[in-house]
Amino acid sequence: MIHKNKTSLLLAALVAAAFSTAGVSEAGKPTVGGPCQKCHTAEAGAVRGNLGKVSPEFSTLQVKAGKIVWIVKYDDKTRVIDGDKTSGAESIKDLPKNKEILVSFSGDESKPLATEVAVKQPYKVPEEQKISNDEVVKLVSMGPKKGEYTLIDARPTGAFLGGHIPTAISLPFDSFEENCSIVLPQDKDRLLVFYCGGPT
């Protein structure tokens, strides 16, 4: 999906991200990992990261939070929230590996027991901020100067180097804060078109 957005909205997101820091528990154990670090901070009794292995045999799941892998027990009382659907612990084994999740737990960090597992939902872009593939093709055929746009490829650098839309500039999401002032145009009214590898 391809998105367009005015610079003011982009700057608001940048400011919000700039004030977020990676979460660390009181014991120094990371509680926020991976892409979650861009938007979330530490919360007591919670760990955010990517789902690793799930072991129904031992009723445990792994959460990758930075360089640390949390092993969290779950039981029959653990709820799984996936969008507007709530289910029991039996559905944990069906969650896709590496999916971004939030695990709320009781107990201390040495023996956490999951009370709730929430699955991150894809970001929903408002219809008025979307641009069709045909519109992008038209803009690209005019070029950035005549079309008055900047096309941003937000995928990782390796994906960009493997192939990208002509006229696109690489600005990976993970390095957005560090490089946005270099890559983004000075003209705040210029059309910005972002694209990535799919829903996140």
Side-chain angles (χ1 to χ4, degrees):
M1 178 150 305
I2 299 174
H3 313 284
K4 67 180 177 180
N5 202 342
K6 289 292 182 187
T7 303
S8 60
L9 291 175
L10 182 62
L11 290 176
L14 176 62
V15 169
F19 287 101
S20 298
T21 59
V24 177
S25 69
E26 289 180 19
K29 188 175 181 180
T31 59
V32 181
C36 302
Q37 293 175 348
K38 293 286 181 186
C39 304
H40 300 283
T41 57
E43 299 173 48
V47 60
R48 289 180 187 272
N50 295 85
L51 178 65
K53 292 181 181 178
V54 174
S55 172
E57 180 181 353
F58 296 104
S59 298
T60 60
L61 60 95
Q62 295 179 349
V63 182
K64 300 172 192 170
K67 295 180 180 180
I68 299 292
V69 176
W70 284 67
I71 307 295
V72 182
K73 292 275 293 173
Y74 63 87
D75 62 16
D76 293 341
K77 296 177 185 172
T78 304
R79 295 182 329 140
V80 177
I81 300 172
D82 193 351
D84 57 1
K85 184 176 131 189
T86 301
S87 56
E90 72 282 350
S91 65
I92 290 175
K93 66 182 178 351
D94 299 324
L95 296 177
K97 192 173 180 183
N98 290 321
K99 186 71 179 167
E100 294 170 27
I101 59 171
L102 164 64
V103 178
S104 300
F105 61 86
S106 61
D108 65 34
E109 293 178 9
S110 64
K111 293 183 181 178
L113 175 63
T115 55
E116 186 175 279
V117 177
V119 179
K120 180 180 178 184
Q121 299 302 300
Y123 177 74
K124 292 187 183 349
V125 176
E127 288 300 318
E128 67 274 6
Q129 292 182 357
K130 292 181 182 178
I131 185 170
S132 72
N133 290 342
D134 291 340
E135 290 174 291
V136 172
V137 168
K138 184 177 177 182
L139 285 171
V140 169
S141 69
M142 289 190 285
K145 189 171 184 177
K146 186 176 178 185
E148 299 179 347
Y149 72 91
T150 300
L151 181 61
I152 306 292
D153 185 329
R155 300 174 303 155
T157 303
F160 178 83
L161 293 174
H164 56 273
I165 298 173
T167 75
I169 300 168
S170 179
L171 181 57
F173 176 77
D174 288 344
S175 63
F176 185 87
E177 291 177 43
E178 298 84 27
N179 297 314
C180 69
S181 62
I182 299 166
V183 175
L184 296 179
Q186 297 294 321
D187 180 0
K188 303 302 180 204
D189 292 323
R190 187 172 180 89
L191 174 65
L192 299 178
V193 180
F194 290 82
Y195 71 93
C196 61
T200 61

